[in-house]
Amino acid sequence: MMLQRKNRLRALSLGAVAVTGALALTACGSDDNGGASKASGNPSTTANASSIKCDGAEGQLLSDGSSAQKNAIDAWVKNFSQACGVQINYKAGGSGAGVTAFTQGQIPWAGSDSALKPEEVAASKKVCSGGQGIDLPMVGGPIAIGYHLNGVDNLVLDAPTLAKIFDGRITNWNAPAIKKLNPSAKLPDLKIQAFHRSDDSGTTDNFTKYLMAATPQNWKYSGGKTWQAKGGQSAAQSSGVAQQVKQTNGAIGYFELSYVGDGIKAVSIDTGAAQPVAPSTDSATKAIAAAQVVGTGNDLSLKLDYKTKAEGAYPITLVTYEIVCDKGNKADSLPTVKSFLNYMASEDGQKILSGIDYAPMPDEIIGKVRSTIASLS
């Protein structure tokens, strides 16, 4: 009997790995962008299976949401599936799609780069029997401003210049504002091709929150998951924007740090500190550590300081939330959801993040996340 059980778990585990591999290729198209490989081939992302507590997890788990956290989810899914024999399908269709699917009761948990809005919380109460959707901050990281400009290996931009570039008011790479910030760079007389997200995106929400806070006189849009500025070009999901930047000389776009590399360089931001700040897991952690918990009850949504001038703090930083019902979760999926969330929030789960260009949550915040997961019902 024991041998049959072991064989069954081994078969499930192998099937989960195969499904996960296929989903990594289909969820965001061909991720030939330097990001996906960091999540799958890095030895630091491999967990000791004996340290993962399955706690009754079984079967299959479907989810959707933030493509910003896709590479982190891929690494977590690989380890969890191998340990627990559970198949997890995370579509990474964008934060908007994930929140919608969650509030419509299609999935038991979603990923989002933005905390739930009041109307989304209200909608969640229809599917969370006796409870509501809550935000659990799980993954941090900088939103890199990636560019492809032949002959320019180092580029500094500030908030006003970024706002004008993405609003179509600075259109050439040798514009005076860019020259002033990069006096030693050989900037070409070349048209800027700015790429933004075509789908509703928490990455867009966080990037535009930065522009709204840091240079309100130059970015007069109301913000949100939907891109509002005129002009520019669009692509679906972070992987799509990164792919367009990679293959287009003169292109610039915004996406997570894990997509930088292999033909894409990252802009350093002039925040007003002594030195421009490059995106990194350390510079993101410095920004997140100063965040305030503004959620009420079991909700742990955070408020970031996008106007920071602290030395070494990268201002365009996002926190990706896992969204789940605090009460009223479906009984058939709750053990698996809790087990997977527990692994994500565990010391081992958080430890792998820095190896794939994400920032682990500060100890105080992740401690609250673990306590909240334990209380889910």
Side-chain angles (χ1 to χ4, degrees):
M1 190 72 177
M2 182 63 70
L3 180 59
Q4 290 179 339
R5 182 173 182 273
K6 287 182 177 179
N7 287 339
R8 176 177 173 272
L9 287 176
R10 182 176 181 271
L12 280 171
S13 179
L14 290 173
V17 174
V19 169
T20 302
L23 292 168
L25 293 175
T26 59
C28 291
S30 178
D31 278 346
D32 183 20
N33 51 47
S37 62
K38 296 180 184 181
S40 57
N42 192 324
S44 65
T45 67
T46 303
N48 180 358
S50 63
S51 69
I52 298 175
K53 297 180 180 179
C54 299
D55 293 332
E58 61 180 2
Q60 300 181 3
L61 191 63
L62 175 66
S63 185
D64 196 0
S66 163
S67 62
Q69 68 173 3
K70 176 185 180 298
N71 292 337
I73 293 288
D74 283 351
W76 283 327
V77 165
K78 178 182 178 182
N79 293 335
F80 188 79
S81 295
Q82 289 176 337
C84 301
V86 174
Q87 295 181 8
I88 299 178
N89 177 348
Y90 182 76
K91 290 185 178 181
S95 298
V99 171
T100 297
F102 174 75
T103 57
Q104 292 180 350
Q106 299 171 9
I107 55 176
W109 129 78
S112 177
D113 308 332
S114 301
L116 291 169
K117 296 179 180 179
E119 60 269 25
E120 293 168 340
V121 173
S124 73
K125 292 180 180 180
K126 298 178 182 179
V127 297
C128 301
S129 180
Q132 66 179 48
I134 57 172
D135 303 285
L136 302 177
M138 195 73 74
V139 185
I143 299 174
I145 308 301
Y147 72 98
H148 175 179
L149 192 58
N150 293 342
V152 180
D153 294 329
N154 297 291
L155 186 68
V156 175
L157 297 173
D158 58 12
T161 307
L162 279 171
K164 292 173 184 176
I165 287 173
F166 281 92
D167 199 26
R169 287 180 285 145
I170 292 179
T171 59
N172 228 54
W173 280 110
N174 63 353
I178 302 178
K179 281 186 174 181
K180 184 177 179 180
L181 291 164
N182 301 273
S184 61
K186 296 181 179 179
L187 297 166
D189 182 7
L190 180 67
K191 180 182 177 181
I192 296 173
Q193 299 195 54
F195 286 90
H196 58 264
R197 289 281 289 271
S198 60
D199 53 321
D200 283 0
S201 162
T203 311
T204 294
D205 190 16
N206 282 275
F207 176 47
T208 55
K209 279 179 180 176
Y210 160 72
L211 295 176
M212 291 164 60
T215 183
Q217 67 274 27
N218 290 302
W219 195 264
K220 299 184 181 296
Y221 302 99
S222 60
K225 294 185 179 75
T226 303
W227 184 258
Q228 296 173 326
K230 308 301 181 184
Q233 302 180 65
S234 65
Q237 303 168 3
S238 292
S239 58
V241 174
Q243 185 66 22
Q244 291 298 321
V245 172
K246 175 184 174 180
Q247 65 189 22
T248 308
N249 184 34
I252 189 169
Y254 58 91
F255 31 74
E256 294 65 48
L257 183 61
S258 56
Y259 292 95
V260 171
D262 191 21
I264 301 176
K265 298 180 175 65
V267 171
S268 292
I269 303 298
D270 183 347
T271 64
Q275 297 293 329
V277 185
S280 71
T281 56
D282 288 342
S283 62
T285 297
K286 287 185 179 180
I288 296 170
Q292 296 178 323
V293 176
V294 294
T296 58
N298 288 324
D299 187 86
L300 298 176
S301 56
L302 303 177
K303 182 179 180 180
L304 299 171
D305 181 9
Y306 295 101
K307 296 187 292 183
T308 181
K309 295 183 180 179
E311 297 296 332
Y314 185 77
I316 320 176
T317 297
L318 63 75
V319 170
T320 290
Y321 299 95
E322 312 311 327
I323 295 172
V324 67
C325 296
D326 58 352
K327 298 178 181 178
N329 289 280
K330 294 180 180 179
D332 58 346
S333 59
L334 180 59
T336 305
V337 171
K338 287 184 70 171
S339 180
F340 187 48
L341 291 176
N342 272 322
Y343 168 57
M344 295 161 72
S346 70
E347 183 177 347
D348 285 347
Q350 290 288 300
K351 189 182 297 182
I352 71 176
L353 293 177
S354 59
I356 47 177
D357 294 325
Y358 292 100
M361 287 293 101
D363 289 343
E364 182 178 355
I365 292 174
I366 203 63
K368 294 177 180 178
V369 170
R370 291 166 185 158
S371 297
T372 302
I373 293 171
S375 71
L376 299 180
S377 61

